[in-house]
Structure formats: C-alpha cells, structure tokens
Amino acid sequence: LLKLIADLCKGEDKGAVFFNKMAGDYHRYMAEYNTGSARDAAANAAQEKYKAATALAESGDIMQPTDPIRLGLALNYSVFNYEILNEYEEAKSIAKKAFDSAVEDLDRLGEMEYKDATLIMQLIRDNLT
C-alpha cells in the first residue's frame, strides 16, 4: 500500500511532504515495537522518509515555516531522533530550527493560521524543555 501511495505522490509538492511524513511516522511506529534487524530496518526507512519530507518542506516555496504539516513533521522527526535513534542533540536541533523559523513567520498569519501554528509550536517547545 505504501508503494502504491508513493507512486501516486511523486513530485515536489505539499502532498509529497505529507506522504513522506506519514510514511516516516508509520516506520517509526514499526521501529518502536520491533527488535533486532526488523527494528533497524524500520528505523532506517523512517529516517529516509523523514529526511525526504524535510528536504522537500524546506526547499523553495512549497511550505512556509508555520505550515502545520511542516511543524508536525519537525515535531515527529525530532521525537524519532530522540526516542528511536537516541540522537538527543539532533532531536533538539530539529525542534529548535523549526520553532525559531516559525516564530519569525508568525506575523504574516491570520487568526486561524496563527492558532494552528502556535498549537504545534507549543508541543515542539514542550519537547525542547
């Protein structure tokens, strides 16, 4: 099923970012309960999908730093680094970069966009402390 969706979501748009984030989440969950080589394979697949999503989200004008999908990606990718890879500094770096970039972009948002962004930003900040 993931392969079919991946084939449909090829490209460099918001849909591709969302798909790669969700695929990374799926593999992260697999890594959480598997052991040995199955855990390693799931962690590697999650890392690959999160990196792809992040690269797309941060390139060009696909997504603003305050986009809820981009913020959710940063939140989940940082949790993955912290909980699965035990890469604590990398987890903090991902979260801090997303938070700081979003703070700089908050002024341009309308009320509903502001609420959506700040809700996820609060979760990111909670993870940083």
Side-chain angles (χ1 to χ4, degrees), residues 26-27 45 53 71 74 113-114 116 125 129:
Y26 169 79
H27 290 294
L71 288 169
E113 293 171 312
Y114 182 87
D116 291 342
R125 190 171 70 184
T129 56

Side-chain angles (χ1 to χ4, degrees), residues 42-102:
N44 288 337
Q47 179 81 307
E48 179 183 315
K49 294 298 181 182
Y50 282 136
K51 280 185 177 183
T54 301
L56 280 174
E58 293 178 351
S59 69
D61 294 327
I62 292 175
M63 297 179 143
Q64 297 301 317
T66 51
D67 186 291
I69 294 171
R70 184 169 168 177
L71 288 169
L73 166 62
L75 174 64
N76 291 6
Y77 191 20
S78 67
V79 168
F80 166 76
N81 272 274
Y82 193 90
E83 292 182 355
I84 303 299
L85 300 181
N86 298 320
E87 295 285 343
Y88 308 121
E89 292 306 315
E90 181 66 13
K92 289 178 189 176
S93 174
I94 292 166
K96 184 169 178 10
K97 179 180 176 186
F99 186 87
D100 291 347
S101 295

Side-chain angles (χ1 to χ4, degrees), residues 2-3 5-6 15-30 42-43 45-50 52-53 73 76:
L2 286 177
K3 173 139 177 43
I5 296 170
V17 173
F18 181 73
F19 167 75
N20 281 297
K21 176 207 171 289
M22 294 302 293
D25 292 344
Y26 169 79
H27 290 294
R28 184 185 97 209
Y29 302 143
M30 297 294 286
Q47 179 81 307
E48 179 183 315
K49 294 298 181 182
Y50 282 136
L73 166 62
N76 291 6

